[in-house]
Amino acid sequence: MKVKDIGEQGLLRILQKFCPAEIVGDDCAVMATNPNQSLAITTDMLVDGVHFSDRTTGPYYAGWRAAAANLSDLAAMGATPLAVTVALAVAADTAVEWVEEFYRGMTACLQEYDTPIVGGDVVRSPVVTVAITAFGQVECDRIISRSNARSGWAIVATGVHGASRAGLELLLNPEFGQNFTEVDRASLILAHQCPKPRLDVLPMVWEILGSEGAMEPPLSPPLAKGGKQDFNSPPLSKGGPGGVKSPIAIAGMDSSDGLADAIIQICRASGVGAKVDRTKIPIPDIFSEIVSPEKALDWALYGGEDFELVIFLPIANAELLVKKIGNGAAIVGIATDSTDIWLTDSSGIYPDAILKLDRGFQHF
């Protein structure tokens, strides 16, 4: 059965089964929010042949990944998910079963975090395209922004990097993993097809920071001797989107576009530099058996779609957080008062190099 066989209204009746009946059906979904909290909103667009394809990701896992990407953005801001809306563009001859499987995948991911689909739109298009808007709620004094990092803070990766890229390689080139055990093969493929947004990290962060994490930034840069502004001092918080202050000692984002991308973006937003130790970057244990150290590092830094969090925070808090998370979490570097972002090697084998954005995936 094709979409053209059931028409727009028939397709909508099917998709409404994935939504709470008491919310969908009007022109807007109406949801109550709590006082003293901010609404966090993020939108991701996914296009067939760019973000997913039946060669590597069937409709169920394409739906899962679509939902996970949005939830990961909310986690990166410190927000708890409330709901999502889904805009779907499909060709008339798209199989209805494909659409249902896509929504089953989205729903499976969203249900793990009590997040409903509360509406959306359906249109005709020659290319399958999905745009998801996710709504989250975050306490005003717990907003995690990219622009809040300070020189001297540690850089934490909440889990291993490169596994998703290795899983993609297995899906594109099955001969690559001929010597893998079934467990290792399945684990890497699942890392690519079924990523987990790190919303579980947020309660650990708040527990560690607590009241001690309060850090109201000064109103103006400190003055150097002679009354001139000291622009070498740690930068001020820009307060995140909309000028809202981020009074806690933390900065961060997710690593969906790669570990290197996340570190660079945070440093740029905060006006700091960094030194990242290549020996500290957490990678899957099996990488030592299947790829060269150079390839393993490249996948970890630039492979993308690992959906971990990259967090800058004071060293003592970082050490506590890494211990509490476990499972591959690591301190990978430290923020500096320079603007350069260096990849270093504490083992002394490789020379220092500047981290750049242009080695990761770029749409244009």
Side-chain angles (χ1 to χ4, degrees), residues 277-291:
D277 188 342
R278 61 189 293 154
T279 68
K280 305 298 184 183
I281 296 173
I283 60 176
D285 293 337
I286 194 175
F287 274 21
S288 62
E289 303 174 17
I290 61 174
V291 293

Side-chain angles (χ1 to χ4, degrees), residues 56-57 65 163-164 167-168 171 188-195 305:
T56 60
T57 310
R65 282 165 52 83
S164 178
L168 177 62
L171 292 164
L188 293 174
I189 290 177
L190 203 61
H192 179 73
Q193 293 183 331
C194 194
E305 299 187 319

Side-chain angles (χ1 to χ4, degrees), residues 302-325:
Y302 303 106
E305 299 187 319
D306 290 296
F307 294 103
E308 295 291 339
L309 297 182
V310 178
I311 300 172
F312 287 49
L313 70 172
I315 292 176
N317 290 337
E319 292 172 343
L320 289 173
L321 181 61
V322 165
K323 183 177 180 180
K324 188 171 285 288
I325 297 173

